[in-house]
């Protein structure tokens, strides 16, 4: 029941370096997720889920070009990254559709409109 996630808001250069080093893609992306290892944790310890790294300039540019508030788009990026940490992905069309529905539902619970009404952003590259 108790879990911990680290959320980092970084510049595009930092995220590009992570994307290059860990995903072999030498480009910035809006959000990356790094799950924590599966090693044994002490009983009653807080479960470490991993890290979510959001690229500020990329996210701000997307929000502007898509007519969204920066706050809503940053929330979407964190939700997207969190779903990756929980084991969801968008590698196949059915998986992408299921993940989008979860994102929409979680964001609705936060009072944020569906980020996909104008079509999904094309740069969601979480790991």
């Amino acid at each position: 029941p108790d879990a911990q996630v680290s959320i980092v808001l970084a510049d595009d250069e930092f995220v590009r370096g992570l994307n290059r080093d860990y995903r072999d893609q030498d480009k910035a992306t809006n959000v990356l997720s790094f799950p924590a290892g599966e090693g044994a944790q002490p009983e009653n310890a807080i479960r470490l889920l991993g890290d979510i790294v959001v690229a500020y300039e990329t996210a701000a540019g997307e929000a502007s070009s898509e007519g969204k508030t920066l706050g809503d788009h940053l929330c979407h990026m964190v939700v997207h990254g969190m779903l990756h940490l929980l084991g969801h992905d968008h590698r196949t069309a059915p998986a992408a559709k299921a993940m989008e529905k979860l994102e929409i539902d979680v964001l609705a619970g936060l009072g944020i409109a569906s980020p996909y009404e104008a079509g999904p952003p094309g740069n969601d590259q979480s790991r």
Side-chain angles (χ1 to χ4, degrees):
D2 291 326
Q4 181 177 339
V5 173
S6 296
I7 300 173
V8 176
L9 184 60
D11 64 20
D12 280 6
E13 183 179 344
F14 182 80
V15 175
R16 181 179 182 161
L18 291 175
N19 205 22
R20 180 189 60 240
D21 294 349
Y22 290 96
R23 298 182 70 237
D24 293 322
Q25 295 187 25
D26 191 11
K27 62 182 181 176
T29 189
N30 52 19
V31 62
L32 292 169
S33 298
F34 297 94
E38 294 294 322
Q41 295 185 18
E43 190 175 328
N44 298 325
I46 293 176
R47 182 173 171 221
L48 303 176
L49 294 180
D51 304 316
I52 299 169
V53 183
V54 179
Y56 178 79
E57 292 110 339
T58 296
E62 289 173 347
S64 177
S65 69
E66 296 170 13
K68 301 172 183 173
T69 68
L70 179 57
D72 285 358
H73 192 54
L74 289 174
C75 284
H76 177 213
M77 295 299 93
V78 170
V79 167
H80 185 90
M82 179 66 78
L83 289 174
H84 278 298
L85 293 181
L86 295 173
H88 299 277
D89 68 57
H90 43 80
R91 292 182 198 145
T92 65
K97 186 173 179 110
M99 190 166 168
E100 282 180 16
K101 173 145 180 24
L102 286 170
E103 290 174 12
I104 291 166
D105 292 348
V106 170
L107 291 169
L110 298 172
I112 298 172
S114 169
Y116 297 112
E117 289 181 13
N123 197 26
D124 286 358
Q125 300 287 329
S126 295
R127 175 169 196 213

